[in-house]
């Protein structure tokens, strides 16, 4: 699918000048009528709030009384605050822990389920099920599975002689617990995207490699992965964008605890807004996060030329 | 999608395939076992949730865990519905989903506008629409809340659905699909004197049925599962959706897993049913997002 193919054959036969003017006017009205119902909500609920948030971030404000101008005060305070660093640290821990896990797992599943196999579509369906499940439910069920005292996971570990950790009740294990539950949910998404890519690789290319005597590893590294690079690129970009915005599962699984051990950036934004009524700081922190995400995404877009096929 | 283009005659392939066949004969069997085990592990949390929901509480908190309930009970479901207002949360969630469906029509219109009309500034405007995809919802959260508060829509179902009513991604998917509708068809209708609204309603929409189906199902799932906006916009408990109700339940009664799992089941089972029925559309919808 190529982006932007402006093709319109309507004006192929040029009409008279007055006709064209009248038509142009009506045409313009039609276009506005089709676009405005989407443009207005997008402007009102995304673009304008975005700019408004930047404005709020330059003030001290408790959401009720008048705003007080502080310039970049909120930003300098946030950058100096160890809590901010901790929140970014936990978020980074999540990104670094979850994405490789999900990516390798999803790729393996996609490769395995692209092969001819009995019950293939049923298996695909099962692996995809968690993707359509709400984060809140995922967190709730996993909180229970990972319950240190009576949970199934620690019971199974005990059966094979391993003393299970305290999972989400233990500060050291809180982030790994969140990562485990998230990986379970995200695996199917990566699988489906990569499967779509695998199916678009032409058969003759694979056959040619087979005839040339390339082994399975060689075929994977020299043919499959390079041809899959657009989908891999997409998965990495989306996973990073979503990973840095991790919130729902943290909120429902640990609420940022225990003792702030899983306090991620968005949880911090949420707490600053609704628990501490520091809207200015919250807006500043959300803008910091946005800039981080933007820079990472731009770097990837810039770097994709080096490794993405047909970029 | 798979290429049927076989320029290589099958007989030529036969020889190298012979070496691969020995490997191939064993591997599907092994791979099948591993994949099935993985699938069982993946499905286990769902099974555990449903079994726990019909177990008495004493079974749920017992150690070692009982795989099967000592007796089956639906008391937690009745408790959720009678005492805990989950019936209302369910209705609210359905309400949010229904309102979200209005957004589909709006996004289809914009998709058509971008796909089939040429006008000055089209590319920059479309690019602007796409950039809104990158903006984290947390940045816009407070100002959006203030806007909705200003027009008196906080604590309403419309207010919950409104911030996510139109998504750039939805517009993008419609546009991509609608560029494939032949312009001649639209042109013929115009020559026959059909108005633009009529062309859209009677030609474009019916021809876009595949993408509409995908989007209806995706909208259902995202609306049903949405959490942040219901959490922020609904301060009145009477407007909670299932996701918010369950998160609240998690904080209130952390000691009754049976009740929690019943609540989780209320939320998940409808989505699982939708998934099983519309699996093709859903997977296709997600896969579409991976194409350039």
């Amino acid at each position: 699918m190529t982006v932007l193919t402006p093709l319109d054959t309507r004006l192929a036969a040029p009409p008279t000048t007055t006709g064209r003017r009248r038509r142009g006017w009506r045409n313009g009205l039609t276009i506005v009528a089709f676009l405005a119902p989407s443009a207005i909500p997008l402007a009102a609920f995304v673009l304008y709030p975005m700019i408004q948030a930047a404005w709020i971030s330059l003030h001290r404000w408790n959401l009720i009384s008048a705003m007080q101008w502080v310039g970049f005060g909120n930003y300098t305070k946030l950058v100096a605050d160890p809590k901010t660093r901790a929140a970014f640290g936990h978020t980074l821990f999540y990104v670094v822990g979850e994405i490789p896990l999900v990516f390798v797992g999803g790729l393996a599943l996609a490769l395995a389920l692209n092969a001819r196999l009995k019950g293939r579509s049923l298996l695909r369906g099962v692996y995809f099920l968690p993707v359509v499940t709400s984060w809140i439910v995922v967190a709730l069920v996993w909180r229970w599975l990972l319950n240190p005292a009576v949970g199934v996971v620690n019971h199974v570990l005990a059966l094979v002689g391993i003393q299970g950790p305290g999972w989400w009740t233990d500060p050291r294990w809180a982030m790994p617990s969140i990562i485990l539950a998230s990986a379970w949910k995200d695996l199917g998404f990566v699988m489906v995207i990569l499967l779509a890519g695998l199916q678009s690789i032409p058969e003759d290319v694979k056959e040619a490699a087979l005839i040339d005597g390339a082994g399975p590893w060689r075929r994977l590294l020299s043919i499959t992965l390079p041809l899959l690079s657009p989908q891999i690129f997409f998965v990495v970009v989306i996973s990073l964008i979503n990973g840095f915005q991790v919130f729902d599962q943290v909120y429902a699984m640990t609420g940022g605890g225990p003792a702030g051990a899983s306090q991620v950036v968005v949880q911090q934004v949420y707490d600053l807004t609704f628990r501490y009524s520091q809207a200015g700081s919250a807006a500043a922190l959300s803008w910091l996060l946005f800039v981080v995400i933007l820079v990472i995404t731009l770097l990837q877009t810039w770097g994709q030329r080096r490794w993405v096929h047909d970029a | 999608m798979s290429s049927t283009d076989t320029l290589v005659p099958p007989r030529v392939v036969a020889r190298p395939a012979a070496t691969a066949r020995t490997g191939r004969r064993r591997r599907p069997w092994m791979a099948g076992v591993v994949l099935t085990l993985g699938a069982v592990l993946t499905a286990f949390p769902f099974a555990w949730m449903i079994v726990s929901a019909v177990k008495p509480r004493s079974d749920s908190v017992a150690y070692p865990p009982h795989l099967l309930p000592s007796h089956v009970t639906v008391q937690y479901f009745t408790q959720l519905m009678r005492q805990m207002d989950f019936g209302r949360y369910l209705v609210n969630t359905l309400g949010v989903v229904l309102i979200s469906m209005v957004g589909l029509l709006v996004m289809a219109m914009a998709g058509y506008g971008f796909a089939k009309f040429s006008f000055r500034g089209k590319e920059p405007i479309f690019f602007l629409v796409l950039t809104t995809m990158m903006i984290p919802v947390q940045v816009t959260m407070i100002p959006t809340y203030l806007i909705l508060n200003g027009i008196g829509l906080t604590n309403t179902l419309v207010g919950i659905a409104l911030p996510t009513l139109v998504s750039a991604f939805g517009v993008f998917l419609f546009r991509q699909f609608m560029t494939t509708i032949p312009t001649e068809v639209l042109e013929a209708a115009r020559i026959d004197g059909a108005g633009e609204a009529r062309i859209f309603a009677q030609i474009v929409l019916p021809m876009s049925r595949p993408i509409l189906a995908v989007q209806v199902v995706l909208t259902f799932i995202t609306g049903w599962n949405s959490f942040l906006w219901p959490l922020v916009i609904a301060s009145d408990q009477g407007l909670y959706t299932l996701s918010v109700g369950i998160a609240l339940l998690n904080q209130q009664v952390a000691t009754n897993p049976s009740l929690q799992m019943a609540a989780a089941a209320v939320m998940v089972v409808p989505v699982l049913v939708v998934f099983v029925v519309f699996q093709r559309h859903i997977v296709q919808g997600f896969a579409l997002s991976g194409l350039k």
Side-chain angles (χ1 to χ4, degrees), chain A residues 130-151:
Chain A
V131 179
V132 297
T133 310
S134 118
W135 275 116
I136 302 306
V137 167
V138 170
L140 199 61
V141 172
W142 276 92
R143 225 175 108 95
W144 188 234
L145 292 172
L146 294 176
N147 184 299
V150 293

Side-chain angles (χ1 to χ4, degrees), chain A residues 1-11 23 27 30-31 33-35 37-38 41-42 44-50 52-53 56 61 63 109 112-113 116-117 121 123-137 140-145 149-152 154-155 158 184-185 189 192-193 196 199-204 207 210-211 216 230-231 234 241 245 247-248 251-253 266 269-270 273-274 279 282-283 286-287 289-290 293-294 297-298 304 308-311, chain B residues 1-3 5-8 12-13 16 24 27-28 31-32 34-36 38-39 41-46 48-49 52 60-65 106-107 109-110 112-114 116-119 122-123 126 128-129 132 134-144 146-148 162-163 166-168 171-172 175-176 179 183-184 187 190 196-197 200 221 225 227-228 231-232 243 246-247 250-251 254 257 260-261 264 267-268 271-272 275 279 282-283 286-292:
Chain A
M1 267 185 254
T2 45
V3 186
L4 301 176
T5 42
L7 196 79
D8 207 349
T9 51
R10 233 171 319 142
L11 297 174
R23 231 178 136 169
N27 199 18
T30 309
I31 291 163
F34 276 116
L35 297 189
S38 282
L42 277 181
F45 298 117
V46 185
L47 290 177
Y48 169 77
M50 179 81 187
Q52 176 76 1
I56 293 172
W61 189 35
L63 287 165
L109 275 180
L113 289 172
R116 248 170 267 276
L117 200 73
S121 54
L123 285 171
R124 284 181 190 173
V126 172
Y127 283 112
F128 194 74
L129 272 184
V131 179
V132 297
T133 310
S134 118
W135 275 116
I136 302 306
V137 167
L140 199 61
V141 172
W142 276 92
R143 225 175 108 95
W144 188 234
L145 292 172
V150 293
V152 181
N154 273 7
H155 176 62
W184 175 72
K185 170 156 157 102
F189 174 71
V192 160
I193 303 276
Q199 281 161 5
S200 66
I201 295 177
E203 285 297 325
D204 45 350
E207 275 164 16
L210 209 61
I211 289 164
Q231 281 75 28
F234 175 83
I241 290 178
Q245 297 183 35
F247 173 67
D248 290 12
Y251 178 91
M253 207 161 167
V266 176
V269 171
Y270 182 84
T273 314
F274 295 104
S286 70
W287 255 90
L289 179 65
F290 172 58
I293 294 172
L294 187 71
T297 309
L298 287 178
Q304 70 167 317
V308 177
H309 184 74
D310 266 354
Chain B
M1 246 184 278
S2 66
S3 165
D5 178 20
T6 44
L7 288 171
V8 189
V12 182
V13 194
R24 217 183 271 162
R27 221 178 298 134
V34 173
L35 284 169
T36 308
L41 270 180
T42 306
F44 179 77
F46 291 113
W48 190 248
M49 172 189 78
S52 299
S60 279
V61 296
Y63 192 87
V106 169
M107 290 190 286
M109 286 166 66
Y112 174 56
F114 281 119
K116 286 295 166 189
F117 289 90
S118 54
F119 52 93
K122 180 163 101 168
E123 269 104 88
F126 188 62
L128 190 67
V129 170
T132 63
M134 257 201 313
I135 298 174
V137 65
Q138 298 78 29
V139 180
T140 60
M141 188 173 70
I142 302 164
T144 302
L146 295 172
I147 293 170
L148 291 172
L162 211 49
V166 173
S167 76
V171 173
F172 175 74
R175 179 199 167 276
Q176 294 300 81
T179 44
T183 307
E184 297 79 52
E187 212 42 52
R190 277 192 194 104
E196 292 297 334
F200 178 72
I221 292 172
N225 289 343
F227 176 64
L228 188 68
L231 182 72
V232 170
S243 56
I246 290 174
N250 187 20
Q251 286 157 6
Q260 289 178 342
M261 292 305 113
M267 183 150 185
V268 168
V271 175
L272 293 192
F275 176 73
Q279 183 177 351
I282 296 171
V283 172
F286 277 88
L288 268 176
S289 64
L291 298 178
K292 280 210 301 177

Side-chain angles (χ1 to χ4, degrees), chain A residues 37-266:
Chain A
S38 282
I40 292 169
L42 277 181
F45 298 117
V46 185
L47 290 177
Y48 169 77
M50 179 81 187
I51 295 156
Q52 176 76 1
W55 179 246
I56 293 172
S57 77
L58 302 174
H59 296 78
R60 186 194 323 226
W61 189 35
N62 63 4
L63 287 165
I64 299 160
S65 52
M67 288 202 267
Q68 246 183 308
W69 175 265
V70 291
F72 283 95
N74 288 324
Y75 289 93
T76 49
K77 226 188 272 173
L78 280 174
V79 171
D81 190 349
K83 272 193 204 145
T84 312
R85 262 173 272 164
F88 272 99
H90 296 145
T91 308
L92 201 64
F93 187 94
Y94 174 82
V95 167
V96 172
E98 204 240 14
I99 295 178
L101 200 64
V102 169
F103 179 77
V104 172
L107 180 65
L109 275 180
L111 288 170
L113 289 172
N114 193 41
R116 248 170 267 276
L117 200 73
K118 217 180 270 178
R120 180 170 74 168
S121 54
L122 178 71
L123 285 171
R124 284 181 190 173
V126 172
Y127 283 112
F128 194 74
L129 272 184
V131 179
V132 297
T133 310
S134 118
W135 275 116
I136 302 306
V137 167
V138 170
L140 199 61
V141 172
W142 276 92
R143 225 175 108 95
W144 188 234
L145 292 172
L146 294 176
N147 184 299
V150 293
V152 181
V153 173
N154 273 7
H155 176 62
V156 172
L157 288 178
L159 288 182
V160 292
I162 299 171
Q163 160 105 51
W167 298 112
W168 46 269
T169 62
D170 180 339
R172 274 173 309 160
W173 283 91
M175 282 315 297
S177 307
I178 292 168
I179 290 172
L180 186 64
S182 307
W184 175 72
K185 170 156 157 102
D186 283 337
L187 203 63
F189 174 71
V190 174
M191 175 194 77
V192 160
I193 303 276
L194 296 183
L195 260 176
L198 285 175
Q199 281 161 5
S200 66
I201 295 177
E203 285 297 325
D204 45 350
V205 175
K206 285 186 255 180
E207 275 164 16
L210 209 61
I211 289 164
D212 289 348
W217 281 107
R218 182 98 197 128
R219 285 200 302 267
L220 176 69
L221 292 177
S222 307
I223 294 180
T224 311
L225 287 185
L227 287 178
L228 203 57
S229 53
Q231 281 75 28
I232 294 175
F233 174 73
F234 175 83
V235 161
V236 172
V237 169
I238 289 286
S239 303
L240 280 168
I241 290 178
N242 290 337
F244 275 96
Q245 297 183 35
V246 57
F247 173 67
D248 290 12
Q249 64 270 50
V250 177
Y251 178 91
M253 207 161 167
T254 64
S262 59
Q263 185 79 353
V264 290
V265 178
V266 176

